[in-house]
């Protein structure tokens, strides 16, 4: 009778633990011997090993499966490989049915903590399961053609260990795609697969030159625009580097670093005083600060006409000569 409960697995022994949990020792019922990647059928049984998998049976009971799995050796190419289990991804410790259950619990507004307690799993497992399902759904939903104005930006996730690159649909203010990693080859591959990429008119991105060539190749008709945030960050970076090289104490004195970075209109009275007295001994830094303020002021201007832009540039040039 228990054979019905878990499709695709032959149950050897079950032990009931508590009300909702059962331990089961099972063997995978392989439907025919698999093929090797090289296409060969000449396989021998190499050895067996055990996998521990959490699973939900057909009638909804939770099982901790102890699965006896096989490894095969190909007689033609010598490769040793594991058998694929039905409904379980390679290396996964939870079956797809189990993950579906977690997601449906989540959809019923059961909070993560309760799911963790009921199913005896870690909070990160719950989160991973939910994320992967919703990512899948999102991918299906956004299969619309590439937007005309897009933004590209890279982020770190998992406390800075992993990278992701976000493609934003800037005309509708939503995320178009998230690409895992920041390797150029991955990003180029993903961008190349977009529908209607030749219609992209504007690509907004940071100033790193690495992506530039990829973007030119993938979006041949697009203009590349550096976004305000990244330009200002670059200006601030170089300004601070200059300050540090001109005056050693900027490196370690936070009471100077913060006000130097801040826009003038946001300075508190005491910060203003501190800067003023600092500038008295460092006139070169004061000049650079003035220039930084002008440049950032300019960069923060929105919706300018072409003529206004020309005037602004002329003004900035005339002040920058003094700095030089
Ligand atoms: Zn082979």
């Amino acid at each position: 009778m228990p054979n019905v409960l878990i499709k695709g697995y032959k149950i050897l022994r079950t032990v009931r633990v508590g009300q909702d949990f059962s331990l089961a020792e099972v063997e995978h019922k392989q439907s025919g011997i698999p093929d090797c990647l090289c296409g060969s059928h000449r396989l021998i049984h190499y050895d067996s090993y055990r996998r521990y998998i959490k699973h939900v049976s057909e009638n909804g009971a939770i099982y901790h499966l102890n699965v006896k799995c096989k490894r095969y050796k190909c007689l033609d190419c010598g490769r040793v490989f594991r058998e694929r289990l039905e409904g379980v991804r390679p290396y996964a410790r939870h079956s797809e049915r189990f993950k579906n259950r977690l997601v449906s619990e989540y959809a019923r507004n059961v909070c993560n903590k309760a799911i963790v307690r009921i199913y005896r799993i870690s909070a990160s497992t719950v989160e991973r399961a939910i994320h992967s399902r919703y990512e899948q759904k999102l991918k299906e939903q956004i299969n619309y053609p590439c937007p005309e104005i897009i933004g590209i930006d890279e982020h770190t996730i998992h406390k800075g260990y992993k990278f992701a690159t976000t493609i934003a649909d800037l005309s509708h203010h939503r995320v178009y795609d998230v690409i895992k990693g920041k390797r150029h080859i991955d990003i180029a591959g993903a961008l190349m697969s977009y529908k209607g990429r030749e219609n992209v008119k504007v690509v907004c991105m940071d100033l790193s030159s690495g992506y530039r060539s990829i973007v030119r190749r993938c979006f041949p008709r697009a203009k590349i625009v550096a976004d305000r945030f990244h330009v200002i960050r670059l200006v601030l970076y170089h300004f601070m580097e200059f300050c540090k090289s001109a005056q050693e104490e900027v490196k370690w004195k936070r009471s100077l670093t913060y006000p130097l970075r801040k826009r003038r209109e946001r300075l508190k009275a005491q910060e203003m005083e501190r800067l003023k007295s600092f500038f008295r001994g460092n006139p070169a830094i004061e000049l650079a600060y003035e220039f930084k303020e002008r440049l950032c002021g300019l960069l923060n201007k929105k919706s300018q006409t072409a003529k206004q832009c020309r005037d602004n540039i002329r003004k900035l040039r005339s002040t920058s000569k003094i700095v030089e």
Side-chain angles (χ1 to χ4, degrees), residues 93-106:
R93 289 190 293 179
H94 308 92
S95 70
E96 292 303 291
R97 280 181 66 94
F98 187 82
K99 288 186 203 165
N100 287 343
R101 169 72 84 85
L102 297 183
V103 175
S104 68
E105 292 278 27
Y106 181 74

Side-chain angles (χ1 to χ4, degrees), residues 33-36 38-44 72-76:
I33 293 177
D35 292 345
C36 176
C38 71
S40 166
H41 306 291
R42 300 205 308 133
L43 303 173
I44 53 164
Y72 295 99
K73 184 172 183 170
C74 172
L75 290 177
D76 286 314

